[in-house]
Amino acid sequence: MLTVDFSRFPLAPGDRVLDLGCGAGRHAFECYRRGARVVALDRNGEEIREVAKWFAAMEEAGEAPAGATATAMEGDALALPFPDESFDVVIISEVMEHIPDDKGVLAEMVRVLKPGGRIAITVPRYGPEKVCWALSDAYHEVEGGHIRIYKADELLAKIREAGLQPYGTHHAHALHAPYWWLKCAFGVDNDKALPVRAYHKLLVWDIMKKPLATRLAEQALNPLIGKSFVAYATKPKLPRAAAA
């Protein structure tokens, strides 16, 4: 299940991509399939080991084009272990709401991004997220949980403040918002509640089968209750005189 829309965020074969806070690796895997040279970085060593196993399995199965590469590594988003201007593309999906120093993370992403490079940032959307917080303290009052809710204008202002130029936004995963409302209502750790189990089965069926009806329904509902807010931005190229 991808949050970044690669029709709005195109990759070229050979692009060097950083998936920052990669989690289980969903965006890193897609970039690898598209021929990129991918670095998937996360602070969670267990998840990184799983991502590395999947990269190896994808290579063995021939799922990535010739020239594509993939590396999984542990690292700190506030102290990235890369030189300046190392990447053509940076993706950070559902991460910034967890980090107290979000401006520091933005600064590090801008540092390692090449001039003319592109960044995709996704965070939980303000409205659906407020419902989750209202329904359940356990949803956000946990170690490593969500510490803030972004309004779209606030996030875009921080992106501009970091020196990036936003060029597009959209919402995603409308069908997932009611699932999380149910989880919060019945208990975030209570997977046995019938409404939660039933809705989860619906989501799994939708992800696996991708039926036209639910695709159209989600497309129509995304502007209203899309669970994620997605922003795309570029790092301006330096004028030739400044670069010299």
Side-chain angles (χ1 to χ4, degrees), residues 74-204:
E74 289 185 59
D76 182 352
L78 290 166
L80 295 174
F82 310 111
D84 295 354
E85 301 179 6
S86 297
F87 294 93
D88 303 290
V89 172
V90 177
I91 296 171
I92 184 166
S93 183
E94 311 299 303
V95 173
M96 287 179 57
E97 68 275 9
H98 296 272
I99 301 176
D101 186 8
D102 57 347
K103 290 184 178 181
V105 173
L106 277 166
E108 273 294 87
M109 291 192 292
V110 172
R111 180 184 69 79
V112 302
L113 186 66
K114 295 177 182 178
R118 304 174 306 285
I119 282 183
I121 298 172
T122 90
V123 297
R125 184 183 186 176
Y126 183 82
E129 187 76 347
K130 284 286 284 186
V131 174
C132 289
W133 282 46
L135 289 171
S136 171
D137 290 338
Y139 173 80
H140 61 97
E141 291 181 357
V142 294
E143 184 178 355
H146 299 186
I147 63 170
R148 71 173 64 82
I149 308 176
Y150 288 101
K151 291 184 177 180
D153 289 347
E154 174 194 358
L155 180 60
L156 291 172
K158 288 186 176 184
I159 290 171
R160 292 188 183 97
E161 185 181 344
L164 298 167
Q165 295 179 343
Y167 70 85
T169 65
H170 64 91
H171 300 102
H173 308 318
L175 295 182
H176 288 250
Y179 172 71
W180 282 102
W181 296 339
L182 288 170
K183 288 271 287 181
C184 290
F186 286 93
V188 290
D189 296 321
N190 180 12
D191 294 327
K192 295 182 179 180
L194 180 59
V196 175
R197 287 191 292 115
Y199 203 99
H200 184 263
K201 287 183 179 179
L202 170 66
L203 292 179
V204 171

